[in-house]
Amino acid sequence: MSEALNIPAGLVFLPLGEEALPLLKRGVVPLLCLADSGLPWFVRAAEKAQAPARIDDAAYLAHLQREYQRLPDSLRGLLTQEVFIQQAEKKRADIEAALLAQQQAQAVQDTGNPEDWLLQRFYTDPFSLLAWQQGGGLKTLWLGIDASQWPEAALQSVEYRPSLPAAYPQRLWAESPALAPLQEQRLVLARADAGRLVEVAGRTQGLLRLPPVALRCVLLGAEMRPAFVASFRQFWQQDFRYQRMPLARMQFHSDRYGWDFIQTGPASR
């Protein structure tokens, strides 16, 4: 009878979908652009940014008043402010577009550009349903990683606070107190420092080497496709880098809430 895996203490867990197979063959893990990271506040901000944007009437009028005051005295003597504003109305769409561009440029200057950063999220409790939901659900697998054996990666614990910092990258290490039970850790890397970049479905990803010694186990979600599980198990048994590391699949208890991870591969080293 298969036994429940005794998961080593102190690991961090990286959720991946079926892309895990080609990634592990290459010995790398992905670093995602923020649009693909699943950060709740970033998703909401992106949706808001996609909404039709315009300058409100008060800001538009204040801009025209400032522009009128900048006119040379000779021009201001030829037309009143009211006439100047009436004439500008014909070009309002162009004026608003220029003002929006200025606002966006100022925001980037003040806070930094989120597109300059790549991110990966790690969880610490493989028995947390909230963490599995955050990580893509039960159709994913989790890589159990010993971060002390991964010198290429500098993971940092998330700070759970009522308000997020405005500037990047500090904003990427903060999250709502409602998610504090996750005890999440994150790896943040400047895009310019990512040694290997690839385009996946039009999105940029970084690829970071994962030393085989840092990978301590793999946990298969309960709803992964059987065909994928079979192909992954075959790969796991044949690849000399991983074949001695434990592979286990989530199995729910029949008589109480929760689950164990039942070994389907070699015992831990």
Short mmCIF file of all heavy atoms in Angstrom, two decimals, residues 26-65:
data_model
loop_
_atom_site.label_atom_id
_atom_site.label_comp_id
_atom_site.label_asym_id
_atom_site.label_seq_id
_atom_site.Cartn_x
_atom_site.Cartn_y
_atom_site.Cartn_z
N ARG A 26 14.31 21.28 -19.34
CA ARG A 26 15.34 22.29 -19.57
C ARG A 26 16.02 22.71 -18.27
O ARG A 26 17.01 23.45 -18.29
CB ARG A 26 14.73 23.53 -20.25
CG ARG A 26 14.15 23.25 -21.60
CD ARG A 26 13.52 24.46 -22.23
NE ARG A 26 14.51 25.50 -22.52
CZ ARG A 26 14.20 26.67 -23.07
NH1 ARG A 26 12.94 26.96 -23.38
NH2 ARG A 26 15.14 27.56 -23.32
N GLY A 27 15.46 22.31 -17.12
CA GLY A 27 16.05 22.66 -15.84
C GLY A 27 15.85 24.12 -15.46
O GLY A 27 16.72 24.71 -14.81
N VAL A 28 14.68 24.69 -15.83
CA VAL A 28 14.42 26.10 -15.56
C VAL A 28 13.00 26.25 -15.01
O VAL A 28 12.16 25.36 -15.12
CB VAL A 28 14.56 26.96 -16.83
CG1 VAL A 28 15.99 26.93 -17.35
CG2 VAL A 28 13.59 26.50 -17.93
N VAL A 29 12.76 27.42 -14.40
CA VAL A 29 11.42 27.80 -13.98
C VAL A 29 11.13 29.19 -14.57
O VAL A 29 12.06 29.96 -14.85
CB VAL A 29 11.26 27.82 -12.45
CG1 VAL A 29 11.41 26.43 -11.88
CG2 VAL A 29 12.24 28.77 -11.81
N PRO A 30 9.85 29.52 -14.77
CA PRO A 30 9.52 30.78 -15.42
C PRO A 30 9.41 31.93 -14.42
O PRO A 30 8.99 31.76 -13.28
CB PRO A 30 8.16 30.49 -16.05
CG PRO A 30 7.53 29.50 -15.11
CD PRO A 30 8.66 28.65 -14.57
N LEU A 31 9.79 33.11 -14.88
CA LEU A 31 9.51 34.37 -14.19
C LEU A 31 8.54 35.14 -15.07
O LEU A 31 8.80 35.35 -16.26
CB LEU A 31 10.80 35.17 -13.97
CG LEU A 31 11.90 34.47 -13.17
CD1 LEU A 31 13.14 35.35 -13.09
CD2 LEU A 31 11.41 34.12 -11.78
N LEU A 32 7.42 35.55 -14.52
CA LEU A 32 6.31 36.06 -15.31
C LEU A 32 6.27 37.59 -15.32
O LEU A 32 6.63 38.24 -14.33
CB LEU A 32 4.99 35.53 -14.74
CG LEU A 32 4.88 34.02 -14.58
CD1 LEU A 32 3.54 33.66 -13.95
CD2 LEU A 32 5.08 33.30 -15.89
N CYS A 33 5.77 38.15 -16.42
CA CYS A 33 5.43 39.56 -16.40
C CYS A 33 4.22 39.73 -15.49
O CYS A 33 3.46 38.79 -15.25
CB CYS A 33 5.15 40.08 -17.81
SG CYS A 33 3.77 39.29 -18.65
N LEU A 34 4.02 40.92 -14.96
CA LEU A 34 3.00 41.11 -13.92
C LEU A 34 1.59 40.81 -14.43
O LEU A 34 0.73 40.37 -13.67
CB LEU A 34 3.08 42.52 -13.36
CG LEU A 34 4.41 42.91 -12.71
CD1 LEU A 34 4.24 44.16 -11.87
CD2 LEU A 34 4.97 41.79 -11.87
N ALA A 35 1.36 41.03 -15.72
CA ALA A 35 0.03 40.76 -16.27
C ALA A 35 -0.33 39.27 -16.18
O ALA A 35 -1.51 38.92 -16.17
CB ALA A 35 -0.04 41.23 -17.72
N ASP A 36 0.67 38.40 -16.10
CA ASP A 36 0.43 36.96 -16.03
C ASP A 36 0.63 36.40 -14.62
O ASP A 36 0.54 35.19 -14.41
CB ASP A 36 1.38 36.22 -16.98
CG ASP A 36 1.12 36.58 -18.43
OD1 ASP A 36 -0.04 36.87 -18.77
OD2 ASP A 36 2.08 36.61 -19.22
N SER A 37 0.91 37.26 -13.66
CA SER A 37 1.30 36.80 -12.33
C SER A 37 0.12 36.43 -11.44
O SER A 37 0.30 35.77 -10.42
CB SER A 37 2.11 37.89 -11.62
OG SER A 37 1.30 39.03 -11.39
N GLY A 38 -1.08 36.88 -11.80
CA GLY A 38 -2.25 36.58 -10.97
C GLY A 38 -2.37 37.43 -9.73
O GLY A 38 -3.21 37.14 -8.86
N LEU A 39 -1.57 38.49 -9.60
CA LEU A 39 -1.70 39.37 -8.44
C LEU A 39 -3.07 40.06 -8.49
O LEU A 39 -3.38 40.76 -9.46
CB LEU A 39 -0.60 40.43 -8.45
CG LEU A 39 0.84 39.92 -8.29
CD1 LEU A 39 1.82 41.08 -8.42
CD2 LEU A 39 1.02 39.22 -6.96
N PRO A 40 -3.91 39.88 -7.46
CA PRO A 40 -5.29 40.41 -7.53
C PRO A 40 -5.34 41.91 -7.79
O PRO A 40 -6.12 42.37 -8.62
CB PRO A 40 -5.87 40.04 -6.16
CG PRO A 40 -5.05 38.89 -5.69
CD PRO A 40 -3.67 39.13 -6.22
N TRP A 41 -4.51 42.66 -7.08
CA TRP A 41 -4.58 44.12 -7.24
C TRP A 41 -4.08 44.55 -8.61
O TRP A 41 -4.55 45.54 -9.17
CB TRP A 41 -3.77 44.82 -6.14
CG TRP A 41 -2.34 44.40 -6.03
CD1 TRP A 41 -1.84 43.46 -5.17
CD2 TRP A 41 -1.24 44.88 -6.80
NE1 TRP A 41 -0.48 43.33 -5.36
CE2 TRP A 41 -0.08 44.18 -6.35
CE3 TRP A 41 -1.09 45.83 -7.81
CZ2 TRP A 41 1.18 44.41 -6.89
CZ3 TRP A 41 0.17 46.05 -8.35
CH2 TRP A 41 1.28 45.35 -7.89
N PHE A 42 -3.14 43.80 -9.20
CA PHE A 42 -2.63 44.18 -10.52
C PHE A 42 -3.66 43.87 -11.59
O PHE A 42 -3.83 44.62 -12.55
CB PHE A 42 -1.32 43.45 -10.83
CG PHE A 42 -0.65 43.98 -12.07
CD1 PHE A 42 0.15 45.12 -12.01
CD2 PHE A 42 -0.83 43.37 -13.30
CE1 PHE A 42 0.76 45.63 -13.14
CE2 PHE A 42 -0.22 43.87 -14.44
CZ PHE A 42 0.57 45.01 -14.36
N VAL A 43 -4.39 42.76 -11.44
CA VAL A 43 -5.45 42.41 -12.39
C VAL A 43 -6.52 43.49 -12.38
O VAL A 43 -6.98 43.94 -13.43
CB VAL A 43 -6.04 41.03 -12.05
CG1 VAL A 43 -7.28 40.76 -12.89
CG2 VAL A 43 -5.00 39.94 -12.26
N ARG A 44 -6.92 43.93 -11.19
CA ARG A 44 -7.93 44.98 -11.10
C ARG A 44 -7.43 46.28 -11.73
O ARG A 44 -8.16 46.98 -12.41
CB ARG A 44 -8.33 45.20 -9.64
CG ARG A 44 -9.10 44.04 -9.03
CD ARG A 44 -9.72 44.44 -7.70
NE ARG A 44 -8.71 44.78 -6.72
CZ ARG A 44 -8.19 43.91 -5.86
NH1 ARG A 44 -8.58 42.64 -5.89
NH2 ARG A 44 -7.29 44.28 -4.97
N ALA A 45 -6.17 46.61 -11.47
CA ALA A 45 -5.61 47.84 -12.04
C ALA A 45 -5.56 47.76 -13.56
O ALA A 45 -5.82 48.74 -14.25
CB ALA A 45 -4.22 48.09 -11.47
N ALA A 46 -5.24 46.59 -14.09
CA ALA A 46 -5.18 46.42 -15.54
C ALA A 46 -6.56 46.56 -16.16
O ALA A 46 -6.73 47.17 -17.21
CB ALA A 46 -4.58 45.05 -15.89
N GLU A 47 -7.59 45.99 -15.49
CA GLU A 47 -8.94 46.13 -16.00
C GLU A 47 -9.38 47.59 -15.99
O GLU A 47 -10.03 48.07 -16.92
CB GLU A 47 -9.90 45.29 -15.15
CG GLU A 47 -9.70 43.78 -15.32
CD GLU A 47 -10.54 42.98 -14.35
OE1 GLU A 47 -11.10 43.60 -13.41
OE2 GLU A 47 -10.64 41.76 -14.53
N LYS A 48 -9.01 48.30 -14.95
CA LYS A 48 -9.35 49.72 -14.87
C LYS A 48 -8.65 50.51 -15.96
O LYS A 48 -9.23 51.41 -16.57
CB LYS A 48 -8.96 50.26 -13.49
CG LYS A 48 -9.37 51.72 -13.26
CD LYS A 48 -9.00 52.16 -11.86
CE LYS A 48 -9.39 53.62 -11.63
NZ LYS A 48 -9.04 54.07 -10.26
N ALA A 49 -7.41 50.15 -16.25
CA ALA A 49 -6.65 50.86 -17.28
C ALA A 49 -7.23 50.62 -18.67
O ALA A 49 -7.11 51.47 -19.55
CB ALA A 49 -5.19 50.41 -17.24
N GLN A 50 -7.88 49.47 -18.88
CA GLN A 50 -8.47 49.17 -20.17
C GLN A 50 -9.78 49.91 -20.39
O GLN A 50 -10.25 50.00 -21.53
CB GLN A 50 -8.70 47.66 -20.30
CG GLN A 50 -7.41 46.86 -20.40
CD GLN A 50 -7.65 45.37 -20.35
OE1 GLN A 50 -8.79 44.92 -20.25
NE2 GLN A 50 -6.59 44.59 -20.42
N ALA A 51 -10.39 50.42 -19.33
CA ALA A 51 -11.62 51.17 -19.46
C ALA A 51 -11.33 52.49 -20.20
O ALA A 51 -10.24 53.04 -20.08
CB ALA A 51 -12.22 51.46 -18.09
N PRO A 52 -12.31 52.98 -20.98
CA PRO A 52 -12.09 54.24 -21.69
C PRO A 52 -11.70 55.35 -20.72
O PRO A 52 -12.39 55.60 -19.74
CB PRO A 52 -13.45 54.52 -22.34
CG PRO A 52 -14.11 53.18 -22.45
CD PRO A 52 -13.63 52.40 -21.25
N ALA A 53 -10.57 55.99 -20.98
CA ALA A 53 -10.06 57.02 -20.08
C ALA A 53 -10.32 58.40 -20.68
O ALA A 53 -10.25 58.58 -21.90
CB ALA A 53 -8.58 56.82 -19.83
N ARG A 54 -10.61 59.36 -19.83
CA ARG A 54 -10.77 60.72 -20.28
C ARG A 54 -10.41 61.67 -19.15
O ARG A 54 -10.36 61.29 -17.98
CB ARG A 54 -12.19 60.99 -20.77
CG ARG A 54 -13.26 60.95 -19.71
CD ARG A 54 -14.64 61.16 -20.31
NE ARG A 54 -14.72 62.40 -21.05
CZ ARG A 54 -15.02 63.59 -20.50
NH1 ARG A 54 -15.23 63.68 -19.20
NH2 ARG A 54 -15.08 64.67 -21.25
N ILE A 55 -10.17 62.90 -19.52
CA ILE A 55 -9.88 63.94 -18.55
C ILE A 55 -11.20 64.57 -18.12
O ILE A 55 -12.04 64.91 -18.97
CB ILE A 55 -8.97 65.02 -19.18
CG1 ILE A 55 -7.65 64.39 -19.63
CG2 ILE A 55 -8.72 66.15 -18.21
CD1 ILE A 55 -6.80 63.84 -18.53
N ASP A 56 -11.40 64.70 -16.80
CA ASP A 56 -12.67 65.29 -16.37
C ASP A 56 -12.71 66.78 -16.72
O ASP A 56 -11.70 67.42 -17.01
CB ASP A 56 -12.91 65.05 -14.88
CG ASP A 56 -11.87 65.70 -13.99
OD1 ASP A 56 -11.56 66.88 -14.19
OD2 ASP A 56 -11.36 65.00 -13.09
N ASP A 57 -13.90 67.33 -16.70
CA ASP A 57 -14.11 68.70 -17.14
C ASP A 57 -13.30 69.69 -16.33
O ASP A 57 -12.74 70.66 -16.88
CB ASP A 57 -15.60 69.06 -17.06
CG ASP A 57 -16.43 68.30 -18.08
OD1 ASP A 57 -15.85 67.81 -19.08
OD2 ASP A 57 -17.65 68.18 -17.88
N ALA A 58 -13.21 69.48 -15.02
CA ALA A 58 -12.49 70.42 -14.16
C ALA A 58 -11.01 70.45 -14.51
O ALA A 58 -10.39 71.53 -14.61
CB ALA A 58 -12.70 70.06 -12.69
N ALA A 59 -10.40 69.26 -14.73
CA ALA A 59 -8.98 69.21 -15.08
C ALA A 59 -8.73 69.79 -16.46
O ALA A 59 -7.72 70.48 -16.69
CB ALA A 59 -8.49 67.76 -15.01
N TYR A 60 -9.65 69.54 -17.38
CA TYR A 60 -9.52 70.09 -18.73
C TYR A 60 -9.57 71.61 -18.70
O TYR A 60 -8.74 72.30 -19.31
CB TYR A 60 -10.63 69.52 -19.60
CG TYR A 60 -10.73 70.13 -20.98
CD1 TYR A 60 -9.82 69.79 -21.97
CD2 TYR A 60 -11.74 71.04 -21.28
CE1 TYR A 60 -9.92 70.35 -23.24
CE2 TYR A 60 -11.84 71.60 -22.55
CZ TYR A 60 -10.92 71.25 -23.52
OH TYR A 60 -11.02 71.81 -24.79
N LEU A 61 -10.54 72.16 -17.96
CA LEU A 61 -10.68 73.61 -17.87
C LEU A 61 -9.47 74.24 -17.19
O LEU A 61 -8.96 75.29 -17.64
CB LEU A 61 -11.96 73.96 -17.12
CG LEU A 61 -12.27 75.46 -16.96
CD1 LEU A 61 -12.38 76.14 -18.32
CD2 LEU A 61 -13.55 75.65 -16.15
N ALA A 62 -8.98 73.60 -16.12
CA ALA A 62 -7.81 74.14 -15.41
C ALA A 62 -6.60 74.16 -16.34
O ALA A 62 -5.79 75.11 -16.30
CB ALA A 62 -7.53 73.30 -14.18
N HIS A 63 -6.45 73.15 -17.17
CA HIS A 63 -5.34 73.12 -18.12
C HIS A 63 -5.43 74.28 -19.11
O HIS A 63 -4.43 74.97 -19.38
CB HIS A 63 -5.35 71.79 -18.87
CG HIS A 63 -4.41 71.75 -20.04
ND1 HIS A 63 -3.05 71.67 -19.90
CD2 HIS A 63 -4.66 71.82 -21.40
CE1 HIS A 63 -2.48 71.67 -21.10
NE2 HIS A 63 -3.43 71.76 -22.02
N LEU A 64 -6.62 74.51 -19.65
CA LEU A 64 -6.78 75.60 -20.61
C LEU A 64 -6.54 76.97 -19.96
O LEU A 64 -5.96 77.87 -20.58
CB LEU A 64 -8.18 75.56 -21.23
CG LEU A 64 -8.48 74.37 -22.15
CD1 LEU A 64 -9.86 74.49 -22.74
CD2 LEU A 64 -7.44 74.26 -23.26
N GLN A 65 -6.96 77.11 -18.72
CA GLN A 65 -6.71 78.37 -18.01
C GLN A 65 -5.23 78.62 -17.83
O GLN A 65 -4.74 79.74 -17.99
CB GLN A 65 -7.44 78.36 -16.66
CG GLN A 65 -8.96 78.44 -16.80
CD GLN A 65 -9.68 78.21 -15.49
OE1 GLN A 65 -9.11 77.65 -14.55
NE2 GLN A 65 -10.94 78.63 -15.42
#
